[in-house]
Amino acid sequence: EPEVTQTPSHQVTQMGQEVILRCVPISNHLYFYWYRQILGQKVEFLVSFYNNEISEKSEIFDDQFSVERPDGSNFTLKIRSTKLEDSAMYFCASKGDDGSYEQYFGPGTRLTVT
Amino acid sequence: AQSVTQLDSQVPVFEEAPVELRCNYSSSVSVYLFWYVQYPNQGLQLLLKYLSGSTLVKGINGFEAEFNKSQTSFHLRKPSVHISDTAEYFCAVRRIQGAQKLVFGQGTRLTINP
């Protein structure tokens, strides 16, 4: 069964460093999303992406964040200058254009900022 | 804006006992409702969804949920649980019109004891 994959599974970085989290969505999907979950808190929406542009973003998704679909398969989330409070589990999701409304989630990348 | 409240952060249950995981939501517009499950070290997997029609929806692994519009609830139930149901369960909503982002509750950790 097709699945969303994410790399790396765990990323440790120092405050102020740039990180890129990678996702490979399901191949025929057209809608892409990033969510995050800070330990002990709710899963929060960050951004949605469709037709090579951001379709919606939350207030969390400020100028330090960016997303890109550099080729036909990858979908990346970049944090330019990480802060301690960016430590969280980051989930990528994708959705097809078949009217099912189901977003398929990857296993997540645990980002630890020290 | 939408919000979701899962009233129980942890629910311990004995194997083969019934279980109910509670979810209430708040929204000024009509929403679709979802339950996702997260097994250890895996991504979020859709259990079931309510889009329209019958208020009792059945999902995978023997789970079902009932949409109650007057009480703005969408409780998840299973008549007899198994050890393999041990996981984190998330209730989520999204607007029917417009934004596709999922708004999640804080999750309920279901622990099945032998």
Side-chain angles (χ1 to χ4, degrees):
Chain A
E1 185 176 334
E3 58 182 16
V4 177
T5 59
Q6 291 185 243
T7 54
S9 57
H10 191 188
Q11 173 90 45
V12 181
T13 189
Q14 288 189 326
M15 197 168 49
Q17 295 296 305
E18 175 183 284
V19 293
I20 297 176
L21 309 184
R22 291 183 167 79
C23 169
V24 179
I26 293 173
S27 63
N28 61 344
H29 282 187
L30 301 176
Y31 298 86
F32 312 109
Y33 311 85
W34 283 101
Y35 294 82
R36 78 173 186 188
Q37 184 181 28
I38 295 172
L39 190 64
Q41 298 185 24
K42 296 184 179 188
V43 176
E44 304 171 287
F45 168 78
L46 291 178
V47 65
S48 60
F49 192 85
Y50 171 72
N51 200 24
N52 284 319
E53 60 183 26
I54 290 173
S55 47
E56 187 184 5
K57 60 182 181 180
S58 72
E59 59 274 9
I60 301 168
F61 194 87
D62 61 20
D63 292 345
Q64 291 301 309
F65 291 87
S66 62
V67 289
E68 193 177 30
R69 189 155 163 81
D71 51 42
S73 60
N74 289 283
F75 179 51
T76 61
L77 174 69
K78 182 194 289 187
I79 308 175
R80 288 190 183 80
S81 178
T82 51
K83 307 184 187 75
L84 294 176
E85 53 265 37
D86 294 327
S87 294
M89 181 72 91
Y90 288 80
F91 294 105
C92 172
S94 68
K95 187 176 81 68
D97 197 20
D98 57 359
S100 71
Y101 304 101
E102 179 175 356
Q103 295 181 21
Y104 291 79
F105 283 77
T109 293
R110 180 164 296 285
L111 176 65
T112 302
V113 182
T114 62
Chain B
Q2 293 77 51
S3 67
V4 178
T5 302
Q6 290 181 243
L7 297 164
D8 306 297
S9 59
Q10 297 188 58
V11 173
V13 181
F14 286 109
E15 194 172 17
E16 298 184 7
V19 69
E20 178 180 83
L21 306 184
R22 296 179 292 170
C23 172
N24 287 89
Y25 70 94
S26 172
S27 177
S28 57
V29 299
S30 296
V31 294
Y32 295 133
L33 299 112
F34 305 82
W35 274 98
Y36 280 83
V37 60
Q38 185 181 28
Y39 299 106
N41 301 314
Q42 295 186 29
L44 300 168
Q45 179 185 4
L46 183 67
L47 268 182
L48 47 78
K49 60 181 181 284
Y50 174 77
L51 304 180
S52 64
S54 172
T55 57
L56 183 64
V57 291
K58 295 188 185 297
I60 62 172
N61 302 339
F63 283 92
E64 62 181 32
E66 184 153 22
F67 170 55
N68 188 317
K69 189 172 183 179
S70 62
Q71 297 187 7
T72 60
S73 68
F74 191 53
H75 301 333
L76 181 71
R77 302 186 187 101
K78 186 169 182 178
S80 176
V81 295
H82 302 285
I83 292 283
S84 58
D85 293 322
T86 295
E88 187 99 19
Y89 292 79
F90 295 92
C91 181
V93 303
R94 60 149 282 192
R95 294 167 58 116
I96 290 178
Q97 300 291 339
Q100 295 188 9
K101 67 176 184 183
L102 291 169
V103 176
F104 285 88
Q106 61 266 56
T108 297
R109 181 168 297 280
L110 178 62
T111 304
I112 311 300
N113 298 306

